[in-house]
Amino acid sequence: MSDMFALAMPWWEFMLRAVVVYVVVLGMVRLTGKRALGQITPFDVLLIVLLGNAVQNALLGQDTSLAGGLLLAATLITINYAVGWLTTRSRRVERLVEGEPVLIARDGRLLDSVLRRELITHADFDAAMRQQGCRGVDEVELALLETNGHITIVPRRRD
């Protein structure tokens, strides 16, 4: 019972581990691109579960105490809150954490190299067009891959 609150390492090491893991995992997620964040599939859920399990030892080390787990949870929630707070107050931090929208089509022309770089299939683009009332790419004035992974289509004006 006394081991429940006994930490296996100093409190500050838990916090340091949480900060390092948070920053590294955030960087890896950002490198995977916007599309990976835009749609949650069964594979994404599996990745999230496995990622959590993979970083568990990096966070906890040899500690299995209740206090260590709660300290880590509080640290991660605080870091997440701080990142959210910073992104609402700094355009530079917002761009670093969330990225910027990417142009994927303009004036009826699909930018295939951008689609490949952003890991967007033609089927995904076609579905976005249909959802927003366009029958073909020739009806698209502008298409953007938003920072949340969704595709926004601006149809051409019908004069």
Side-chain angles (χ1 to χ4, degrees), residues 67-84:
L70 293 175
L71 180 58
L72 275 173
T75 302
L76 290 169
I77 289 168
T78 302
I79 293 168
N80 199 56
Y81 177 82
V83 168

Side-chain angles (χ1 to χ4, degrees), residues 26-27 30 87 90-100:
L26 177 62
R30 282 283 291 122
T87 59
S90 168
R91 180 74 175 124
R92 178 180 277 169
V93 174
E94 180 184 16
R95 276 194 316 267
L96 178 68
V97 172
E98 295 181 14
E100 291 184 315

Side-chain angles (χ1 to χ4, degrees), residues 58-148:
L59 290 169
L60 287 171
Q62 299 300 315
D63 193 286
T64 58
S65 70
L66 177 62
L70 293 175
L71 180 58
L72 275 173
T75 302
L76 290 169
I77 289 168
T78 302
I79 293 168
N80 199 56
Y81 177 82
V83 168
W85 187 86
L86 283 171
T87 59
T88 62
R89 284 158 180 78
S90 168
R91 180 74 175 124
R92 178 180 277 169
V93 174
E94 180 184 16
R95 276 194 316 267
L96 178 68
V97 172
E98 295 181 14
E100 291 184 315
V102 176
L103 182 68
I104 55 176
R106 170 177 262 149
D107 298 324
R109 275 192 38 241
L110 196 56
L111 304 174
D112 285 314
S113 62
V114 177
L115 287 180
R116 280 191 300 277
R117 184 182 73 226
E118 298 295 334
L119 304 176
I120 300 170
T121 66
H122 283 274
D124 288 337
F125 185 77
D126 292 343
M129 281 193 307
R130 285 190 302 275
Q131 288 173 351
Q132 297 179 43
C134 292
R135 292 187 196 118
V137 73
D138 57 314
E139 295 182 13
V140 174
E141 181 176 323
L142 193 69
L144 294 168
L145 176 61
E146 302 292 351
T147 59
N148 63 5

Side-chain angles (χ1 to χ4, degrees), residues 40-53:
I40 298 293
T41 66
F43 300 108
D44 296 324
V45 172
L46 179 61
L47 175 65
I48 291 166
V49 169
L50 293 175
L51 189 58
N53 192 44

